[in-house]
Amino acid sequence: MFRYSYDALVYCGEPIKTSIERVAKYGYDAIEMLGEPDNFDITEVNRLCEDNGIKVSSTCSIFTPQRDLVHPDYKVRNHAKDYVRQVIDFTAALGGEKVIVAPTACSKVAPVADIEDELNWVVENVRECAEYASKCGITICIESWNRYETYIAHSLSRVHALVKRIDMPNVGVMGDTFHMNIEEADMAQSLRTYGKDLVHIHLADSNRAAPGAGHIDFEPIIKALMDIGYDGYLTFELLPAGADPFAVMAQGGCDEFYDKYTKMAIDTIKAVEQKLTI
Ligand code: LER
Ligand code: MN
């Protein structure tokens, strides 16, 4: 049986108490935290999780241009590493298992420095962060995004190649079905190919809404995850349509991303899991 988690990043700006209560209400095992440690009181989050019977699975780090691990300015690269270490401490203090790391800033679509230098910085910097993470029992998940959000690691094969170069026991491959639907020829096959190194996954439908609201067939995907013995969380990351989904959320009118999709996501995938288990 899979464990289910929900990425609270979509619940833009609401009190964490409301998010934790919602996730618990719809039967999730855990919540994925937004990677902005300064926004949270660790004691309060731990107490709320305990009161509601859920855990913290992971943290979704936010890579802004100032948090770019491959920026040509070493001061920015160091700032990005400090940020990742802060997220690692935060996640460990919440009892989480995984921290998501992207090689570069979100929506940066071309290298600024020489690409070989950038790739070397990814390897060097993620290794350093992974050494730090290993002392807290945290695994670093390198997430594959689509071509419109990154140029470095926009397929599981590219992430896998980076993970092999990084070569640390607590660094692995992460997929996100929204991105994979754009970049992978066959999502289930990619999961099988890189399954041994898969440490985390985000699920969303083709339109980034709850599974069942778009056109992805989740059956072969869940079957592949079962067959490879994936033992991480199935974490939903749902966002509204927009190149800047947070700006869309801030405008309002995305009510379905709260109760409706939180319930629909877990209900849809649990039904698939059940069908495949019988
Ligand atoms: C983060 O998990 C992600 O998938 C990116 O699209 C950045 O939001
Ligand atoms: Mn994602």
Side-chain angles (χ1 to χ4, degrees), residues 76-128:
V76 177
R77 298 201 297 277
N78 284 343
H79 178 69
K81 273 188 283 184
D82 286 344
Y83 166 68
V84 174
R85 284 190 282 256
Q86 193 196 3
V87 175
I88 290 167
D89 286 341
F90 171 70
T91 309
L94 294 172
E97 302 172 4
K98 312 266 161 79
V99 166
I100 299 169
V101 168
T104 187
C106 186
S107 299
K108 182 180 162 201
V109 290
V112 174
D114 180 87
I115 187 67
E116 272 313 310
D117 287 341
E118 290 201 2
L119 291 171
N120 287 334
W121 285 327
V122 179
V123 174
E124 220 173 86
N125 293 337
V126 173
R127 243 183 227 158
E128 241 181 80

Side-chain angles (χ1 to χ4, degrees), residues 80-178:
K81 273 188 283 184
D82 286 344
Y83 166 68
V84 174
R85 284 190 282 256
Q86 193 196 3
V87 175
I88 290 167
D89 286 341
F90 171 70
T91 309
L94 294 172
E97 302 172 4
K98 312 266 161 79
V99 166
I100 299 169
V101 168
T104 187
C106 186
S107 299
K108 182 180 162 201
V109 290
V112 174
D114 180 87
I115 187 67
E116 272 313 310
D117 287 341
E118 290 201 2
L119 291 171
N120 287 334
W121 285 327
V122 179
V123 174
E124 220 173 86
N125 293 337
V126 173
R127 243 183 227 158
E128 241 181 80
C129 293
E131 262 159 36
Y132 186 84
S134 69
K135 295 183 194 114
C136 328
I138 296 282
T139 297
I140 291 192
C141 320
I142 310 287
E143 186 174 12
S144 167
W145 290 347
N146 71 72
R147 67 189 70 183
Y148 306 108
E149 289 186 44
T150 194
Y151 57 96
I152 290 193
H154 49 74
S155 64
L156 288 199
S157 79
R158 281 171 173 246
V159 168
H160 185 256
L162 268 177
V163 163
K164 289 288 140 195
R165 263 178 79 169
I166 294 164
D167 192 23
M168 295 283 288
N170 63 330
V171 178
V173 174
M174 170 176 174
D176 175 325
T177 57
F178 169 72

Side-chain angles (χ1 to χ4, degrees), residues 7 9 32 59-63 100 102 106-107 143-146 149 174-179 200 202 208 237 239 243 245-246:
D7 188 350
L9 132 139
E32 181 164 285
T59 302
C60 188
S61 312
I62 304 295
F63 289 93
I100 299 169
C106 186
S107 299
E143 186 174 12
S144 167
W145 290 347
N146 71 72
E149 289 186 44
M174 170 176 174
D176 175 325
T177 57
F178 169 72
H179 301 296
H200 196 46
H202 277 161
R208 230 171 188 180
E237 182 184 60
L239 288 165
F246 303 104

